[in-house]
Every structure is written in structure tokens, then in C-alpha cells.
Amino acid sequence: MSRTAENANFNWNEPAESVYLVHLILSTPFSTLGPKNMKSAFEAAEQYFEEAASVLDLSSSMRTLLMTPEREIKVQVPIKRDNGEIATFVGYRMQHNSARGPMKGGLRYHHEVNADEVLALASLMTWKTAVVDIPYGGAKGGISVNIKEMSIDELERLTRRFVDELHDLFGPDKDIPAPDMGTNAQTMAWIMNQYEKFHGFSPACVTGKPVELYGAEGREEATGRGVGTLTLATLRKTKRSIESASIAIQGFGNVGTYTAAYLEKAGGKVVAISDVSGGLLNRDGLNISAAIDWVKDKGSLAEFPGGERISNEELLVLDVDVLIPAALGGVLTEDNAKEVRAKMIIEAANGPTTPEADAIFRKREILVLPDILANAGGVTVSYFEWVQNQQYFRWDLGRVREELEKTLTRGFDRVWATAEEKKVPLRTAAYLLAIGRVGRAEILGGI
Ligand code: NAD
């Protein structure tokens, strides 16, 4: 039997491996690019940057310096397939900015990966690490590949070959990859192993590794936990209680499941969830742990009982207190923004709101907690993993969670205070803080 990522029946010998395989299967690749007629991902990122740059009255030379990526890399990644044929893929690594530290960003395996999207995501990483004030710059990588058509052995060869091409540009003090859509702890273990063949023992060269191989406790839950923590903080600031909040979450993968579980435990009512197979609505609250078990067992929410079936489009416009897009980019557009009835939107996904939709939400006074803050929990715990690797010291889960909450809450409070002081939306406030920090580092360091 061939070992395909789609083939859930593959007989794994090591129980730990199957955990990573299950995550790989659940991380079904999907379109991250949104409707075809909208701005490119990079144009959208640039527009948000420009808005904040105008508030800061940033000179055009500084704007150019901050938006121009330091290095754009596109490489050929050929591998031998299991049947002996040669397959050639295209891989990218965009190193956007290193003024505040080594560049940090995920590696995405998805058939729609392209240079524009990777560059947009790399710039988001620069602002994200700056908003929560961790000492990193921003980067992102990807390989244009449909992992459903790849065996596990082929994915391993692909990953190792990608590292062969780029290892001199990676490194604990240069550029540190992490998991993103289509990649997981197993992929990171391959990256570390291949990198070490060239450079010797260096667990800090990549984060999101398996806990058994220098990974951090709490990394897998970190993004969802962070989204949950910041949802509670936003509710508190707007004088709403979690107990009376109804919540809809689009996407039930890594981020969506941990967010839902966290908010349910905190007393919230998660009334709607969805994945690529569609959504479910139950006004009395869905049973989240049962839904998570169902997806682990069956691979998707399709046929999960306990709620009325709805579409992903319907979920986005439900009458709820909190809407959390945790799947695709570009799902909230000028076409549906007028129909959105949520009181607040917490951007767990990267780039779920187009600039046109964002403008509509501002007009309609729907509060949006921007992605560069809302989903920064993952990179924050990646930072903790890197710190532990550098010190050969291991933190327990309690410490990881405590430091995560401290870092995110500090970032949130600064963004909120900036928004009030400058009378700007939270997104602009987050960019103001981030651009200020990166800009000062550029100037202080010198050109
Ligand atoms: P994942 O692959 O684990 O899960 C994605 C989920 O979205 C799955 O449930 C999938 O079925 C669902 N989905 C796919 N197509 C869909 C569609 N057309 N409509 C509705 N749902 C669909 O991915 P993830 O790691 O949870 O990432 C989700 C988002 O969060 C992405 O935008 C990612 O960039 C962002 N993000 C993730 C992390 C992280 O640490 N995982 C960190 C920061 C940001």
C-alpha cells in the first residue's frame, strides 16, 4: 500500500508518528486566496501598512525601506517520486525584514502557494512579531504542492531537498521556519535533521518541533489558546461577559479547535463551527469536545450530529456576538461585509478580511481584532521554544501558558491604548505600534 497523506489506514509503528500524521490529514489544504477579483494578498497587506504609515506621517523613503523585502528566494525542488519518476516543485522563502532580530515565519505546503501570497504573509510576520514585541523579524516560505497527492516518503524527500537548497539562509540567528498549513511537527523534525547534516547540532534552527525532539510544551495549542485569551480580553474591554456571548468559528483545524475548546471552557457558548465540509448551528451551544473527537475519528465535521447543517457562507453572517474566522484568507469581502451581524470579529486566520470589508466594518462599528495580534500566540510560543533550545533548558506547560498570557495581554493593552489615544481602529493601532518598533530598530541600527 502506498503511504499517502490521504491514506488514514497506513500502519504506523510509532504511536507518536500517528499523532503527526493525523494532524497532517486534518490539515487539509484549501484555497487561501479568496475570491479571484479581490486585491492580491500583498496589495492588501500594503494597504493596511500605508494607512498606518499615513497616521505616523512616515516619509516615503522609510515606507519603501520597510515594505521592500530583504530577500526573495524562489527555488526548484525536484524529487524522485515513489514510482521512480522525477517531479519538480517550486519553493519560496521570502525574508521580509530582520531589523529586530532573526526572521521568523511558517512554511506552507499548498497547491496555491505563490510568490505574492508568501510575500504578503512574510510582511505580516514582521508586524506580528513587533506587535507582541518578541525579538524577531518576519519571513515566510512555501512549496506549491498538493500534499494529498504525496506519500509521506515523498513529503520527507521534498522537505529535505528544500532544506538542501536553503540551509545557508536558515539558522537560529538568521531565519527560523515553523509549521503552517500543510506542514506539522514531523515536517519540522525533518528540517532540523537535514539542517544539522550541514551545520551540526542546532535545535533552534526551526520551531514547532515534536516535544520529543526539542519542541515546546504547549506549541500545538498556542495559536488557539492565544485567540481565546484575546477574545476574553476584547469582551472585557467592551463590557461584555463571556457567559452571555454567542460565538461562531469558521475552520475546525488546529486553530479553530483549540479556540473553540478554550472559549467553551471559559463559559462561552460556541453556537456554530465549520470546516471544509460545511457548518453546524446549535443555538443552545455545540458540544465542542464531542466535535473534536468526531473530527479526529472521521476526518471532518460532515455528518456530525448535534446541530443544524449550515453553509460556511451562512456561518459568516450569523447573528452572534463573536465571529472568529479561523480558516481561509479573504473570506470577509465587500460582498458579505454588509450582511455580517456579529458585534466583533477576532481574526484567527491570516488575512481573513479584505481592505474593502474592513472599511465597511469600520463604518458599521463592528470591532475587528486584527490577525497580527489575534493569532500571534503561535509565534510567541515558537519564540519560547527557541529560547529553551538556546539555553538547553525546558519549561513546563504552566510556565509556557503563563508567559504566553503575559506577552499577549501586554501587546493587547498597548494596541488598545494606542487605538484610544490616536482614535484609530485596532488594526491601524497594531500597525502603528509595529511600524514604530521596526522603524526605530532600522534607524538605530543604521543603514
Ligand atoms: P488547519 O489546516 O489545521 O485547519 C484549517 C481548517 O479550515 C480545517 O478545519 C479545514 O477543513 C477548514 N477549511 C478548509 N477549507 C475551508 C473552507 N473552504 N471553508 C471553511 N473551512 C475550511 O489550519 P490552521 O493551522 O488551523 O490555520 C488556520 C488559519 O490560521 C490559517 O489562515 C493560518 O494561516 C492561520 N494561522 C495558523 C497558525 C498556527 O499556529 N496553526 C498561526 C497563525 C495563523
Side-chain angles (χ1 to χ4, degrees), residues 158-179:
L158 183 77
T159 304
R160 290 185 185 277
R161 182 59 197 247
F162 186 65
V163 176
D164 287 349
E165 300 299 325
L166 289 172
H167 66 91
D168 274 335
L169 300 170
F170 287 155
D173 300 325
K174 291 184 190 167
D175 178 358
I176 309 137

Side-chain angles (χ1 to χ4, degrees), residues 103 107 141 175 202 207 225 233 235-236 295 300 334 342 379 405:
M103 290 169 280
L107 179 64
D175 178 358
S202 346
T207 61
R225 192 176 177 84
L235 285 166
R236 269 196 300 273
V295 171
S300 90
E334 62 181 329
V379 71
E405 181 161 354

Side-chain angles (χ1 to χ4, degrees), residues 122-165:
S123 72
L124 283 187
M125 288 307 298
T126 299
W127 315 128
K128 194 179 295 186
T129 51
V131 170
V132 289
D133 205 9
I134 54 180
Y136 284 142
K140 198 85 180 187
I143 301 181
S144 181
V145 56
N146 186 349
I147 62 165
K148 279 178 142 186
E149 292 168 2
M150 301 283 282
S151 72
I152 301 296
D153 289 340
E154 288 169 344
L155 283 174
E156 177 174 353
R157 288 199 287 277
L158 183 77
T159 304
R160 290 185 185 277
R161 182 59 197 247
F162 186 65
V163 176
D164 287 349
E165 300 299 325

Side-chain angles (χ1 to χ4, degrees), residues 27 30 108 223 252-255 275-276 312 326-328 348-350 375:
S27 301
F30 51 80
R108 181 174 284 199
T223 306
F252 209 60
N254 173 281
V255 180
D275 67 9
V276 69
N312 267 291
L328 313 173
N350 278 316
N375 68 32

Side-chain angles (χ1 to χ4, degrees), residues 276-291:
V276 69
S277 72
L280 285 149
L281 170 68
N282 184 339
R283 283 281 166 199
D284 296 326
L286 290 153
N287 183 339
I288 296 303
S289 49

